[in-house]
Amino acid sequence: MAMMNQDYLKDMPNWVKNGGDSDDVVISSRIRLARNLKGIPFPNYAHEQQLETVTQQVLQAARERSALGEFIPLKVEELTPNERMVLVEKHLCSPQFVENPHLRTLIVDQEQTVSIMVNEEDHLRVQTLLPAFSLDSALELSNQVDDFLEENLEFCFDEFRGYLTACPTNVGTGLRASVMLHLPGLTLVDQVKRVLSALAHIGINVRGFYGEGTEAYGDIYQISNQVTLGQSEEELTKNLQSICRQVIEQERNIREALLKESRTQLEDRVCRSFGILSQARLISSEETLKLLSDVKLGAELGIITQVDKNRVKELMFITRSSILQTIIGKELVPVERDYYRAMVIRQRLGAHGASGV
Amino acid sequence: MHLTKVINHQKTELHLCEICAKEAGSELGLIFESSFSFQNLIAGLLEGDTGHSQQPSIAGHEIQCQNCGLTFTDFRRGGLLGCGECYRYFQQGLEPLLKKVHGSIRHTGKVPRRNGGKIRIRKEIDDLRNRLQESIRREDYEKAAYFRDEIKRRENELAGG
């Protein structure tokens, strides 16, 4: 378990590889369930021995699981810093989870769709991550995993408060549903702030690409439910779904309006971004996401036809520093990263520069 | 309608319809979850309108979770509870917070099969009662009879039969 299998590291998760419903706007859908074992203090107050017991019990329960495929357990302490970051960049765990790796284990399935964080803020954080707009399927899968684990584990549950969690903001269902949206149209006409602050007023959280406290690089926003108590899992998910649908519609309307009213300006912007990406020799991760956002929009609107839409989404992902280093197969200093990033982009966009790569 | 936008020192001219342009003009602050998390906001939420925090106490002694030893002050400071029992010991202090955060204090979602036992059966009975009423309303008496028998079966189960 000391080193992760390199193929496994390089393999792209399901949410990156595939598209689906509304994938012109939606990148991925996720359901997370917070659970704790009965009789053991929550991770922040538990002794080492108790945390070890939690790990062993969860691993045992996951091993019993046969119907849903094989799981890979990863002890965070035994992973290199880059390997840990790959897990974060693949959205298989939270940045907080790898920050304090002691006695923390991540359990992931082969498809990299289901992951279980053991001993994060709660004993278990069961997460299912699917491509495009698929909250229903994600909820169904989460429920299956939860039911399966529950056959072998006794969860901390109260009739009135539901699933008990370390933070009272998660109590009840323990459910956080999130959708990752690409909103370049709303951003371009300066409406994204208006739309997203309206969401904040009705109990919807808005975050950047990599969760709490991160910027919305590449015009990608993550929106999720804030309330977890007083509504059923289905109600919470449906509510978020209907809000997402409205945002998706607004984004599509603006894209159409832009195409109709200012086609040349839009084409110019998209093609300039494509030009830089296909010719640059050094490029930062931030600039990459910014330009790829334009190119993805261009590909969705048929302005750019020489590059596949899914390939652009893949590029948004594989140009992240840790994943890039895994693909190149060595640790890189920042300037090398910018060099290799530009090289990988040129290769994948199929636009070789004068000196080629 | 023409709009000029400057992004990274690049001037972009946008030509939009009137409605879009009007809306584009509004600049509202985007509420991002930045470096602070909900945990850090908990202490603030626990403070009432008077600015004083509602600390549950019995005869002047601060309440402490008898299972893990966490005090309500500890919780206010760190924002995290120590164990499942804390919810019971801090019930009085937690209820206003739960109401503020969730608008509700009562779980109506999933019940675990294994240790949910009687709670789950009671929920199933509630659900069957609703379906029975619905069948009667639709005058589907065959279904209504089925739901009535199911309710009886669950009630026997609940009584330990």
Side-chain angles (χ1 to χ4, degrees), chain A residues 35 49 55 74 117 120 133-134 142-143 172 175 183 189 196 229 249 252 261 275 299 316-317 320 326 339 342:
Chain A
R35 300 286 185 258
Q49 190 52 47
T55 309
L74 303 165
M117 283 181 256
E120 206 231 33
F133 200 27
S134 47
S142 294
N143 268 329
L175 177 137
L183 306 173
V189 298
L196 300 181
L229 182 67
E249 269 321 297
R252 282 179 181 156
E261 307 290 329
M316 284 182 152
F317 174 75
R320 313 300 299 151
T326 306
Y339 171 79

Side-chain angles (χ1 to χ4, degrees), chain A residues 316-342:
Chain A
M316 284 182 152
F317 174 75
I318 60 171
T319 49
R320 313 300 299 151
S321 296
S322 304
I323 296 161
L324 182 75
Q325 293 184 81
T326 306
I327 289 170
I328 301 300
K330 58 178 177 184
E331 299 266 329
L332 306 167
V333 296
V335 68
E336 287 178 322
R337 266 183 236 161
D338 291 353
Y339 171 79
Y340 281 107
R341 183 179 294 113

Side-chain angles (χ1 to χ4, degrees), chain A residues 36-42 46 50-51 53-54 57 123 156, chain B residues 82-84:
Chain A
N36 287 284
L37 301 187
K38 201 177 174 185
I40 302 176
F42 300 145
Q50 290 168 319
L51 292 174
T53 304
V54 172
Q57 285 194 22
H123 292 149
C156 198
Chain B
C83 69

Side-chain angles (χ1 to χ4, degrees), chain A residues 42 44 121 143 146-147 150 155 159-161 165-166 168 189 194 212-213 228 233 261 265 269, chain B residues 5 7 13 15 23-24 33 39 70 80-82 87 95 102 105-108 110 113-115 122:
Chain A
F42 300 145
N44 273 305
E121 188 180 283
N143 268 329
D146 182 45
D147 289 345
E150 205 245 316
F155 291 145
E159 179 172 4
F160 301 104
R161 304 281 179 263
T165 51
V189 298
R194 187 187 62 84
E212 253 176 59
T228 58
E233 289 77 0
E261 307 290 329
Q265 287 87 342
R269 186 187 168 108
Chain B
K5 205 181 160 209
I7 303 160
E13 291 270 337
H15 305 271
E23 300 207 6
E33 244 187 272
Q39 283 156 31
L70 190 84
L80 293 177
L81 294 161
Y87 280 91
E95 271 187 15
H102 302 286
I105 56 164
R106 184 79 163 91
H107 176 64
T108 55
K110 187 172 179 175
R113 278 175 191 280
R114 212 162 73 116
N115 63 338
R122 274 205 293 273

Side-chain angles (χ1 to χ4, degrees), chain A residues 94-350:
Chain A
S94 64
Q96 293 80 7
F97 187 65
V98 296
E99 245 167 48
N100 175 16
H102 191 50
L103 289 168
R104 286 178 165 176
T105 301
L106 185 73
I107 304 175
V108 197
D109 74 333
Q110 295 281 354
E111 281 279 291
Q112 305 182 32
T113 294
V114 180
S115 58
I116 305 163
M117 283 181 256
V118 184
N119 291 331
E120 206 231 33
E121 188 180 283
D122 293 298
H123 292 149
L124 291 97
R125 291 264 172 117
V126 179
Q127 181 188 282
T128 49
L129 185 55
L130 290 174
F133 200 27
S134 47
L135 276 181
D136 282 335
S137 315
L139 178 63
E140 202 186 316
L141 185 55
S142 294
N143 268 329
Q144 279 178 28
V145 179
D146 182 45
D147 289 345
F148 184 87
L149 290 170
E150 205 245 316
E151 279 174 30
N152 296 287
L153 299 169
E154 193 164 352
F155 291 145
C156 198
F157 183 86
D158 174 86
E159 179 172 4
F160 301 104
R161 304 281 179 263
Y163 292 94
L164 304 179
T165 51
C167 184
T169 56
N170 293 314
V171 78
T173 56
L175 177 137
R176 190 83 61 213
S178 339
V179 180
M180 198 88 75
L181 300 161
H182 181 226
L183 306 173
L186 281 161
T187 311
L188 201 60
V189 298
D190 266 351
Q191 283 203 60
V192 81
K193 288 181 183 176
R194 187 187 62 84
V195 171
L196 300 181
S197 69
L199 297 186
H201 287 296
I202 54 165
I204 299 292
N205 284 331
V206 180
R207 298 167 176 181
F209 198 16
Y210 282 98
E212 253 176 59
T214 63
E215 296 289 323
Y217 293 129
D219 307 324
I220 294 173
Y221 298 85
Q222 196 188 124
I223 70 174
S224 54
N225 64 304
Q226 185 178 311
V227 165
T228 58
L229 182 67
Q231 291 181 53
S232 72
E233 289 77 0
E234 288 74 18
E235 284 168 333
L236 291 168
T237 307
K238 279 217 164 69
N239 190 21
L240 189 72
Q241 248 169 341
S242 88
I243 286 161
C244 283
R245 278 213 184 86
Q246 292 175 49
V247 178
I248 293 167
E249 269 321 297
Q250 289 215 39
E251 171 65 23
R252 282 179 181 156
N253 290 341
I254 285 173
R255 287 182 189 183
E256 264 174 46
L258 284 169
L259 205 53
K260 212 169 139 196
E261 307 290 329
S262 30
R263 188 179 182 108
T264 310
Q265 287 87 342
L266 193 63
E267 280 179 350
D268 182 63
R269 186 187 168 108
V270 166
C271 294
R272 275 169 185 272
S273 295
F274 186 76
I276 296 171
L277 285 170
S278 46
Q279 292 302 326
R281 291 310 193 256
L282 290 172
I283 193 161
S284 74
S285 137
E286 202 183 326
E287 187 184 5
T288 300
L289 276 182
K290 217 175 263 174
L291 299 173
L292 280 173
S293 173
D294 291 339
V295 172
K296 186 169 186 300
L297 176 68
E300 299 292 351
L301 293 175
I303 294 171
I304 289 180
T305 50
Q306 60 267 55
V307 52
D308 180 66
K309 296 190 300 188
N310 255 8
R311 183 144 273 208
V312 185
K313 188 172 89 171
E314 280 178 21
L315 267 177
M316 284 182 152
F317 174 75
I318 60 171
T319 49
R320 313 300 299 151
S321 296
S322 304
I323 296 161
L324 182 75
Q325 293 184 81
T326 306
I327 289 170
I328 301 300
K330 58 178 177 184
E331 299 266 329
L332 306 167
V333 296
V335 68
E336 287 178 322
R337 266 183 236 161
D338 291 353
Y339 171 79
Y340 281 107
R341 183 179 294 113
M343 187 178 91
V344 166
I345 296 169
R346 290 202 305 278
Q347 282 174 342
R348 308 261 167 155
L349 287 180

